[in-house]
């Protein structure tokens, strides 16, 4: 396996995903990992990530010195290359020309890392790579035994290699797709230079994971809060495959789900897969609690608290339960472990099932904690979950509770559900569902005047939101075709009595957020 030491770059997780895409297992750990940890991890190769600090300043992170003594191939990326250079006797300075975005770099000496990898050749026959750079510092003095592998006018040392020790540094980011040969370079590093096999694949992982769950759980009972989202669904299907009836799922219907969602969850799990699911129809309890409450954060808290109460009450009824299963996935694990700077301000408190208090005294079973979202989806398909469930857009924990602006009422939820279902249906038919990252309708509790037939109407407004995003931190509104928007608007106004106006949200994030509350 490959060890990725994280210096805090926003792309570190991408490095891990690219490596796993080449069928090699890797893990991300903080850059100050201990000697003992590294020895026990026994990596066959190490990658040092980029990071926001400056090697040219004191007191900034360095790689554990031991990694340079273990005789393991090591690749430093951006900050990782700079700290490698500094720690091995070279030096780093603030660059005269900073490079952000596309750059061309030319091959200086052939190396086993980059041999025959280039986008084109120049008139001298040198290989040219189109790469993506993001740096203000640069290596200005090579460490002893290193050669310049790549360079350009702005960054004469854009790549360095010590072939004997198999140490490589590259200033650009191979993990981002803008670097066209990036994947080939990472693949070369892990397979040829580190000698990794192609042994990370989903069918094998699934079998191993099933075996692990069986031996860990033994004859104990396991409970799991099933939400219908991708992660808890895949976790449920996997654990059920491993231990069958020892798994009990608790599905809390908070009355704020999408149209037909509860039915769909019950059909998929209970009817088709034979999973034991306790369906709690708690819509009324949630609505009662939410009565008269308009503030978004208060609504979130109430919905979160109510969920926990109901879930605990049900869980306590399963007398022999020893385990609480959760759909925690790898990005959640890395963020909580990585010592990363937390966002300074809470824009929204995102509660998940993950926040259950420890009063149940259950052991945690988290079979997806090594997997990225794409891998979770692949596993879901391998387990036979329906495609639409595995590829569905994310849906917030508080559900329609934050898509009905202000006070939540049953009547509003009914209108919104139907409008949202029409929107989703039309997106699916037109192929736009898969082309957007998240799309939904929002209920605005304001009335406006309309005319239908010969009569005046005075009804509510629905806003449609569809966005493209990589990571949900920033987002662009989707340029849905006017003809599609027209069709959706027509259908909503004609089919959902109580709504007479449909608007389309054309705000990006920032400054708006994806949800309206
Ligand atoms: P925003 O609205 O902050 O949303 O741009 C970013 C992503 O987070 C989801 N979201 C939530 N998820 N509980 C959740 O589990 C919440 O309270 C919550 N609020 C927003 C949102 O759907 C989007 O995918």
């Amino acid at each position: 396996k490959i060890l990725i030491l994280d210096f805090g770059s926003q792309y570190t997780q991408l490095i891990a995903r690219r490596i796993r895409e080449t069928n090699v297992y890797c893990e991300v750990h903080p850059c100050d990992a201990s000697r003992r940890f590294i020895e026990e991890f026994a990596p066959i190769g190490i990658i040092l990530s980029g990071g926001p600090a400056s090697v040219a300043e004191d007191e900034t992170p360095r790689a554990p010195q031991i990694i340079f003594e273990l005789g393991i191939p090591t690749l430093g990326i951006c900050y990782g290359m700079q700290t490698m250079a500094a720690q091995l006797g070279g030096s780093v300075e603030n660059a005269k020309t900073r490079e952000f975005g596309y750059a061309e770099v030319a091959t200086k000496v052939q190396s086993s890392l980059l041999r025959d990898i280039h986008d084109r050749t120049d008139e001298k026959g040198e290989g040219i790579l189109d790469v993506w750079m993001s740096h203000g510092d640069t290596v200005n003095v090579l460490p002893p035994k290193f050669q310049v592998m790549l360079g350009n006018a702005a960054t004469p040392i854009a790549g360095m290699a010590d072939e004997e020790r198999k140490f490589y540094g590259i200033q650009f980011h191979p993990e981002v797709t803008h670097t066209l040969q990036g994947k080939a370079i990472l693949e070369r590093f892990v397979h040829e230079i580190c000698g990794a096999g192609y042994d990370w694949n989903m069918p094998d992982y699934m079998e191993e994971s099933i075996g692990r769950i069986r031996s860990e759980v033994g004859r104990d009972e396991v409970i799991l809060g099933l939400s219908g989202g991708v992660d808890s669904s895949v976790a449920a299907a996997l654990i059920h495959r491993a231990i069958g009836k020892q798994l009990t799922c608790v599905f809390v219907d908070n009355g704020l789900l999408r149209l037909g969602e509860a039915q769909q969850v019950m059909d998929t799990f209970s009817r088709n897969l034979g999973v034991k699911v306790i369906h709690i129809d708690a819509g009324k309890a949630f609505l009662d609690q939410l009565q008269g409450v308009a503030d978004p954060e208060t609504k979130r808290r109430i919905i979160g608290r109510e969920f926990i109460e109901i879930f605990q009450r049900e869980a306590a009824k399963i007398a022999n339960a020893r385990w609480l299963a959760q759909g925690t996935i790898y990005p959640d694990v890395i963020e909580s472990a990585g010592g990363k700077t937390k966002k300074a301000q809470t824009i929204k408190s995102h509660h998940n099932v993950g926040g259950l208090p420890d009063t149940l005294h259950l052991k945690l079973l988290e079979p997806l904690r090594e997997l990225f979202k794409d891998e979770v989806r692949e596993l879901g398909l391998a387990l036979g979950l329906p495609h639409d469930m595995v590829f569905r857009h994310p849906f917030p924990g508080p559900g329609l509770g934050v898509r009905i602006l202000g006070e939540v009422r049953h009547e509003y939820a009914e209108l919104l559900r139907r409008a949202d279902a029409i929107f989703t249906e039309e997106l699916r038919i037109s192929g736009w569902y898969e082309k957007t990252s998240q799309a939904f309708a929002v209920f605005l509790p304001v009335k406006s005047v309309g005319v239908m037939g010969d009569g005046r109407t005075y009804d509510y407004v629905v806003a449609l939101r569809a966005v493209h995003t990589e990571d949900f931190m920033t987002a662009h509104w989707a340029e849905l075709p006017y003809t599609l928007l027209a069709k959706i608007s027509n259908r909503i106004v004609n089919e959902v009595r109580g709504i007479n106006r449909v608007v389309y949200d054309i705000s990006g994030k920032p400054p708006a957020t994806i949800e309206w509350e």
Side-chain angles (χ1 to χ4, degrees):
K1 49 193 176 169
I2 301 284
L3 174 62
I4 299 167
L5 291 178
D6 179 20
F7 289 87
S9 156
Q10 52 178 327
Y11 304 121
T12 307
Q13 287 193 28
L14 269 184
I15 306 176
R17 279 174 55 184
R18 296 285 166 268
I19 302 240
R20 292 211 190 160
E21 279 165 17
T22 76
N23 303 97
V24 174
Y25 185 70
C26 61
E27 286 183 21
V28 177
H29 290 277
C31 58
D32 57 359
S34 71
R35 172 186 196 112
R36 172 125 174 254
F37 171 83
I38 294 168
E39 280 171 345
E40 279 171 10
F41 189 94
I44 59 168
I46 296 174
I47 295 181
L48 309 175
S49 84
S54 167
V55 171
E57 287 166 24
D58 296 336
E59 316 265 316
T60 50
R62 296 288 177 269
Q65 196 68 31
I66 177 190
I67 65 168
F68 302 115
E69 294 154 15
L70 293 171
I72 301 172
T74 300
L75 172 66
I77 295 172
C78 194
Y79 187 94
M81 161 177 172
Q82 294 162 9
T83 196
M84 174 189 272
Q87 289 181 255
L88 294 176
S91 83
V92 175
E93 63 174 1
N94 290 130
K96 287 170 206 76
T97 326
R98 292 145 39 114
E99 283 180 298
F100 291 98
Y102 281 105
E104 270 188 11
V105 288
T107 311
K108 298 300 174 196
V109 293
Q110 280 300 340
S111 61
S112 31
L113 183 67
L114 298 177
R115 180 180 18 90
D116 301 331
I117 298 180
H118 49 247
D119 290 297
R120 56 186 170 280
T121 50
D122 66 6
E123 62 286 355
K124 286 177 272 169
E126 279 180 354
I128 303 288
L129 282 168
D130 288 321
V131 300
W132 203 83
M133 296 267 204
S134 174
H135 68 113
D137 289 351
T138 181
V139 174
N140 61 337
V141 179
L142 277 181
K145 304 196 187 119
F146 276 78
Q147 286 189 298
V148 179
M149 189 164 63
L150 291 170
N152 65 15
T155 311
I157 308 180
M160 60 181 200
D162 172 353
E163 292 283 1
E164 210 177 293
R165 288 183 288 177
K166 298 189 180 161
F167 289 166
Y168 303 90
I170 48 184
Q171 184 53 65
F172 59 89
H173 289 273
E175 67 275 25
V176 302
T177 47
H178 310 293
T179 298
L180 300 177
Q181 301 300 325
K183 191 169 169 196
I185 295 169
L186 291 173
E187 214 165 353
R188 170 75 55 81
F189 179 70
V190 296
H191 287 294
E192 290 182 33
I193 296 179
C194 303
Y198 290 80
D199 33 25
W200 172 253
N201 66 72
M202 217 20 90
D204 285 358
Y205 180 79
M206 182 170 93
E207 290 311 321
E208 276 166 36
S209 179
I210 288 170
R212 259 200 312 247
I213 294 169
R214 281 186 188 140
S215 66
E216 216 175 340
V217 169
R219 294 176 164 276
D220 294 345
E221 300 270 324
V222 177
I223 41 181
L224 177 143
L226 184 61
S227 70
V230 177
D231 302 342
S232 71
S233 296
V234 174
L238 177 68
I239 297 169
H240 179 258
R241 184 73 70 87
I243 58 170
K245 292 287 177 214
Q246 284 162 260
L247 172 69
T248 304
C249 295
V250 178
F251 171 56
V252 179
D253 180 348
N254 57 12
L256 302 168
L257 302 175
R258 288 162 288 190
L259 190 72
E261 191 164 10
Q263 193 56 45
Q264 201 184 7
V265 169
M266 292 311 289
D267 283 351
T268 307
F269 286 93
S270 187
R271 226 182 51 202
N272 300 347
L273 295 175
V275 178
K276 223 192 305 171
V277 186
I278 301 176
H279 178 185
I280 316 269
D281 194 353
K284 188 164 178 321
F286 279 86
L287 279 178
D288 285 350
Q289 293 291 325
L290 286 168
Q291 209 177 6
V293 181
D295 175 63
E297 284 302 293
T298 315
K299 291 198 286 182
R300 279 193 171 82
R301 268 199 303 282
I302 292 173
I303 296 169
R305 190 187 61 207
E306 193 63 19
F307 170 81
I308 289 171
E309 259 172 43
I310 295 176
F311 184 83
Q312 292 201 316
R313 198 182 319 139
E314 291 309 313
K317 292 182 191 162
I318 304 162
N320 298 326
R322 293 280 170 277
W323 296 84
L324 176 67
Q326 291 187 337
T328 315
I329 68 173
Y330 196 44
D332 311 331
V333 178
I334 304 183
E335 265 168 71
S336 45
K340 291 214 183 134
T341 43
K342 291 268 176 287
K343 258 186 288 163
Q345 198 191 355
T346 305
I347 309 283
K348 297 177 190 184
S349 55
H350 292 191
H351 77 87
N352 269 317
V353 189
L356 281 174
D358 188 29
T359 52
L360 292 166
H361 305 294
L362 299 169
K363 292 183 267 184
L364 268 190
L365 182 66
E366 300 182 314
L368 310 180
R369 51 181 292 131
E370 292 172 338
L371 302 183
F372 284 110
K373 193 82 176 186
D374 341 0
E375 296 173 318
V376 171
R377 293 203 160 103
E378 210 183 319
L379 177 60
L381 290 180
L383 287 159
L385 289 177
H387 182 275
D388 283 358
M389 176 172 263
V390 167
F391 285 93
R392 80 189 318 194
H393 290 169
F395 186 61
L400 302 186
V402 290
R403 292 180 181 172
I404 293 166
L405 302 196
E407 186 185 0
V408 180
R409 295 197 194 153
H410 180 68
E411 173 208 356
Y412 296 169
E414 287 298 310
L415 293 174
L416 177 56
R417 253 191 280 275
R418 289 163 55 207
D420 182 73
I422 293 171
F423 185 27
T424 307
E425 183 185 15
E426 290 298 334
L427 288 175
R428 285 206 191 272
I429 295 171
S430 60
W432 274 91
Y433 188 87
E434 315 248 318
K435 284 190 256 172
T436 48
S437 317
Q438 200 171 8
F440 50 88
V442 178
F443 183 84
L444 311 189
V446 288
K447 288 192 166 186
S448 75
V449 174
V451 52
M452 281 180 94
D454 292 325
R456 174 187 191 267
T457 58
Y458 187 52
D459 283 330
Y460 293 111
V461 185
V462 150
L464 305 179
R465 181 87 164 127
V467 298
H468 298 292
T469 172
E470 283 283 322
D471 54 11
F472 296 89
M473 305 290 286
T474 61
H476 295 284
W477 56 277
E479 297 190 21
L480 298 182
Y482 283 169
T483 47
L484 176 62
L485 287 168
K487 187 170 179 208
I488 295 164
S489 160
N490 258 326
R491 277 195 62 193
I492 292 177
V493 171
N494 285 323
E495 294 173 36
V496 187
R497 181 167 297 184
I499 292 176
N500 67 353
R501 194 177 290 272
V502 176
V503 297
Y504 189 55
D505 182 351
I506 50 168
S507 336
K509 174 185 180 177
T513 54
I514 297 176
E515 304 287 348
W516 278 43
E517 282 198 332

